[in-house]
Amino acid sequence: MDYSALLLLVLAGLGIFSGNSSVTIAMVVLLLLRVMNLHQTFPWLEKYGLTVGIVLLTIGVMTPLASGRITVQEVLTSFLHWKSLLAIGVGVLVAYLGGRGVTLMSSQPAVVNGLLIGTVLGVAFFKGVPVGPLIAAGILSLLLGKS
C-alpha cells in the first residue's frame, strides 16, 4: 500500500472538509504528480518550491502598490500612525521568525513533519493560511534555542 499517497489523500480530504482550496489544490497536485509517475519533479519542488511560493506571495502582497491602488503617499503616511508602525514591527518579527524557520527546517528535517501536519490541521480546522510552517519553525527555533 502507498502510505504517502494515502496521507496526501487524507490531507486533500481535510482541505475539502474545511473548505480550504489551497490545501486541497496542493495535495491534489502532489497526488497527480505521483499518479502520473513524475517523481523527478519532487527534488525540484523540494529545492525551489518554497522560494517560488514566497515569490508568488510577495507578488500578491505588492500588487496593490504596483497597480496604484495603494499610493506611495499612503505608504509614507503609514509611518505616522501607531497601528502602521506596530504592523511594521510585527512584519519585521515575522520575517525574522521565517528566516529562523527556514534554517531550522533545513538543519533538522525531523521537525518538518510535525510542522506540516500542524499547519495543515490549523488550515483545515481553524481557517488558517498555509504559511504556518516557516513561522512555526521560527517559533520552535526560539523555543529550542537554535539559530
Side-chain angles (χ1 to χ4, degrees):
M1 173 156 239
D2 186 356
Y3 290 108
S4 294
L6 183 61
L7 181 58
L8 290 172
L9 193 58
V10 167
L11 294 173
L14 278 175
I16 292 168
F17 172 75
S18 67
N20 192 301
S21 60
S22 299
V23 170
T24 305
I25 291 168
M27 297 308 123
V28 169
V29 166
L30 291 171
L31 276 166
L32 286 173
L33 290 174
R34 287 181 66 84
V35 169
M36 295 168 42
N37 206 23
L38 295 172
H39 293 94
Q40 68 272 16
T41 60
F42 291 138
W44 187 89
L45 287 171
E46 283 184 47
K47 186 172 184 181
Y48 300 110
L50 186 60
T51 302
V52 170
I54 290 171
V55 167
L56 290 174
L57 182 63
T58 304
I59 289 170
V61 169
M62 296 306 292
T63 298
L65 181 64
S67 71
R69 195 170 65 79
I70 295 176
T71 65
V72 174
Q73 181 62 36
E74 288 175 308
V75 172
L76 294 175
T77 304
S78 71
F79 287 100
L80 302 176
H81 194 275
W82 73 269
K83 287 182 182 178
S84 296
L85 290 172
L86 184 59
I88 291 168
V90 169
V92 169
L93 176 64
V94 167
Y96 169 73
L97 289 173
R100 285 184 66 111
V102 169
T103 302
L104 180 72
M105 290 172 80
S106 56
S107 68
Q108 296 188 32
V111 302
V112 173
N113 295 328
L115 292 168
L116 293 177
I117 297 298
T119 298
V120 170
L121 292 174
V123 167
F125 294 112
F126 300 105
K127 303 291 184 203
V129 194
V131 296
L134 289 178
I135 305 307
I139 293 169
L140 182 61
S141 77
L142 287 176
L143 296 173
L144 296 175
K146 307 285 183 191
S147 59

